[in-house]
Amino acid sequence: MPELLATSLPEYIATGLKEVAQEQGFTEGLYRLESESGSNMGDGFVGQLLKVFIREADRELVVLCKLLPESEMRKQQGIPLFDRETEAYMQILPLLTKFQDEKALAKHLPRFDNVPRCYYAKTTLDKMESVIIMEDLRLQAYRMWDKANPVDFEHARLLMATLGRLHALSFAMKDQQPEEFAKCRAFEDPMGKMLELDPTKGFEVMMAGMCRRAIETLDQHDNFRREKLKQIQDRCVQEIVACTDGKAAEPYAIVGHGDCWSNNMMFQYAEDNKTPSNIKLIDWQLSRYGSPVLDLVYFIFNCTDEEMRSHSYQRLLSIYYQSLSEHLHNLGGDVERQYPRIAFREQLKKFGRYGLVMSMMVLPIICTPNDELPDTDTAMEGFMNDMNNGNTNAELAYGTTEKAAIRYRKRMSGCIRDTIRYGYI
């Protein structure tokens, strides 16, 4: 049963809920708040969800409150990401969608409206407080794909078309309203801020360990690919920083989602309950101003498998580019002038390795079922203890069961083979 919350909520959460209740027409003093946990084990790695019911007489509004982790260590790691997501929901996404609305697109034309409604978001860095209050998409029959399985073509196709429209907003606004768009240019990579707060270089050690683990998925005699990866083993963090540098992507940098893997999107389905009809992009904590290809390669290399890429990789890229071209045209732009195909191909060559480097970090989590994942706080604390004790080969323990390990070896080795085949490293 939901627990009554009115008196037990921290003030900053209660303040946000009060503002939402007033904006939605609830009567002060007459409505009540009740809550229950809003997430399942393994759904979110940088935060917790609280499902809140705002009730008055026969009326009810259900919202999700996204909160910082309880662990102090992870709270410090997560606060820059919550700050970014707050900025995304309250400033950047409204700016881009306002530009789209002003175009008064014909009703039959597609538009980018693929984010959940955010009622309220506020992050206070010095107090280490953050709350993001949004609609619960599950009430509209949205659901997540099972992350342990590679997505099928229809789900991938829908995401590529959606990313095309999202990126088109930046290209159009950047060209037509450069002064307003300047706010988006300042949307720098949030991971850089996290790395600045990492004096122990723990992230570098962690990434080196994950790269070693990735290398071991290759055949023992595959010296060519093993050597390729060993060359970036100790500079994975530098590779991430280089790939996410917005200035290096100019004049083609856009506002992207930044964390495009299957747990950060929810799908609504057609009557057959199998074919996705709509998609919402959630979790904007890594959204940034950077190359358009980052969202594409992050998703394709982490959420599809080698078999699908063998026959659909170029097709997915074409679906993205066609969607970008059409939406940009509808917004008054011109893809051949603003992002010609040759520039798209060059950006893939320049930044395509980002998909591989991120897969070293994300695939162990993707390949491990939620009920087999270690507790995130315990895993992080164990890793940090190893670091503090001088273990330069410390590794974050994910994907420990044999079934998960088999799945990881297949997906990771395929990711490496394709990245090299496409000439990205």
Side-chain angles (χ1 to χ4, degrees), residues 113-377:
D113 57 1
N114 305 92
V115 292
R117 179 175 181 180
C118 181
Y119 293 99
Y120 176 93
K122 186 174 182 180
T123 299
T124 309
L125 294 172
D126 57 345
K127 292 185 179 179
M128 299 287 284
E129 294 176 349
S130 184
V131 59
I132 298 167
I133 304 175
M134 65 191 79
E135 66 178 333
D136 187 349
L137 292 169
R138 292 170 296 191
L139 299 178
Q140 300 167 48
Y142 281 89
R143 65 179 190 262
M144 284 182 182
W145 176 267
D146 178 1
K147 69 180 175 69
N149 297 317
V151 299
D152 63 23
F153 179 78
E154 282 304 310
H155 286 77
R157 179 198 61 76
L158 183 57
L159 177 69
M160 291 296 112
T162 301
L163 291 176
R165 292 193 294 275
L166 168 62
H167 296 171
L169 292 177
S170 288
F171 278 115
M173 190 176 183
K174 187 179 187 178
D175 184 48
Q176 299 169 35
Q177 296 183 5
E179 290 183 5
E180 278 295 296
F181 188 76
K183 297 168 187 171
C184 297
R185 288 182 186 272
F187 212 45
E188 294 179 348
D189 179 47
M191 286 183 73
K193 292 181 182 178
M194 290 180 68
L195 294 174
E196 289 172 11
L197 302 173
D198 186 23
T200 63
K201 303 292 182 185
F203 190 61
E204 286 188 14
V205 173
M206 184 179 79
M207 286 303 302
M210 289 179 161
C211 187
R212 283 194 300 272
R213 187 178 183 183
I215 291 169
E216 289 309 310
T217 65
L218 294 167
D219 185 86
Q220 287 296 324
H221 305 292
D222 192 349
N223 294 324
F224 172 70
R225 295 186 182 89
R226 283 174 167 264
E227 286 303 315
K228 280 272 191 184
L229 256 68
K230 283 178 182 175
Q231 289 172 17
I232 65 168
Q233 178 179 296
D234 294 321
R235 54 186 185 88
C236 288
V237 171
Q238 289 93 317
E239 293 287 350
I240 292 172
V241 170
C243 286
T244 55
D245 180 3
K247 294 183 179 67
E250 293 291 18
Y252 308 113
I254 50 83
V255 172
H257 177 272
D259 200 7
C260 255
W261 69 287
S262 51
N263 261 33
N264 290 337
M265 53 198 71
M266 297 182 75
F267 297 93
Q268 206 175 42
Y269 290 85
E271 289 183 6
D272 64 5
N273 210 30
K274 293 179 181 178
T275 307
S277 57
N278 204 356
I279 181 175
K280 297 285 185 181
L281 302 179
I282 61 175
D283 198 335
W284 291 76
Q285 295 192 336
L286 287 179
S287 53
R288 64 169 75 86
Y289 181 69
S291 171
V293 307
L294 300 183
D295 283 343
L296 310 186
V297 295
Y298 190 167
F299 173 79
I300 292 174
F301 284 104
N302 280 295
C303 301
T304 70
D305 60 8
E306 192 173 13
E307 181 187 357
M308 192 214 271
R309 291 190 295 270
S310 69
H311 54 72
S312 295
Y313 182 64
Q314 295 300 331
R315 190 176 168 196
L316 289 173
L317 295 180
S318 294
I319 289 166
Y320 162 80
Y321 191 80
Q322 184 65 27
S323 173
L324 171 74
S325 175
E326 289 175 1
H327 200 51
L328 185 53
H329 173 77
N330 293 337
L331 295 169
D334 175 12
V335 77
E336 286 304 322
R337 175 173 61 85
Q338 294 175 258
Y339 196 37
R341 283 186 186 273
I342 189 169
F344 180 36
R345 288 194 293 267
E346 286 170 353
Q347 293 246 315
L348 282 164
K349 290 285 186 184
K350 187 174 182 179
F351 301 111
R353 66 191 185 280
Y354 181 73
L356 171 65
V357 178
M358 293 305 291
S359 71
M360 295 173 188
M361 185 165 32
V362 178
L363 273 180
I365 298 168
I366 288 177
C367 294
T368 306
N370 287 348
D371 58 1
E372 294 176 17
L373 279 170
D375 176 72
T376 309
D377 291 345

